[in-house]
Amino acid sequence: MTIAHRVAQLVLNGVDPARVMLLTFTRRAAHEMRRRSHEIVRESMGDTLGNKAQAMIQRLVWTGTFHSIGNRLLRHYARTCSSIRTTPSSTARFRRPAR
């Protein structure tokens, strides 16, 4: 059973997709996991147009790379942690220079 199958199984069995987190190393892999999960849910529901499955999978908001999800969590909870700053100047030193 693949991760996409497991996600589809959870969603079809009533788990809120917003409570599922899919993490991977690359954006391409994250996109592919999300696409495959949608396809499996669509086929399992017999949803030929994909409308119901699309509505379910759109709630799968915690899909991305380790870094992107970590960044989202840090920015979301930064206000509760006084030692974390999210200003552009504090994160600029961690960015790669443009080539």
Side-chain angles (χ1 to χ4, degrees), residues 60-95:
L60 199 62
V61 293
W62 291 103
T63 303
T65 65
F66 288 95
H67 292 101
S68 68
I69 297 295
N71 187 8
R72 282 177 59 192
L73 289 170
L74 285 173
R75 288 179 185 275
H76 181 76
Y77 290 106
R79 292 186 179 147
T80 60
C81 301
S82 61
S83 64
I84 299 173
R85 297 179 192 200
T86 59
T87 59
S89 61
S90 67
T91 58
R93 67 175 182 249
F94 298 110
R95 293 190 184 131

Side-chain angles (χ1 to χ4, degrees), residues 34-49:
R34 187 180 179 107
R35 186 192 66 74
R36 287 182 184 180
S37 297
H38 174 260
E39 187 66 24
I40 294 165
V41 169
R42 187 182 65 76
E43 287 176 6
S44 297
M45 294 178 74
D47 188 10
T48 55
L49 297 176

Side-chain angles (χ1 to χ4, degrees), residues 7-67:
V7 169
Q9 180 184 21
L10 289 169
V11 169
L12 290 170
N13 287 326
V15 173
D16 182 9
R19 297 184 55 87
V20 176
M21 183 181 290
L22 288 171
L23 297 173
T24 187
F25 292 102
T26 66
R27 285 178 286 191
R28 180 180 282 174
H31 177 73
E32 185 65 18
M33 276 195 306
R34 187 180 179 107
R35 186 192 66 74
R36 287 182 184 180
S37 297
H38 174 260
E39 187 66 24
I40 294 165
V41 169
R42 187 182 65 76
E43 287 176 6
S44 297
M45 294 178 74
D47 188 10
T48 55
L49 297 176
N51 296 333
K52 292 183 220 171
Q54 184 65 30
M56 289 176 113
I57 296 299
Q58 280 180 345
R59 297 218 38 217
L60 199 62
V61 293
W62 291 103
T63 303
T65 65
F66 288 95
H67 292 101

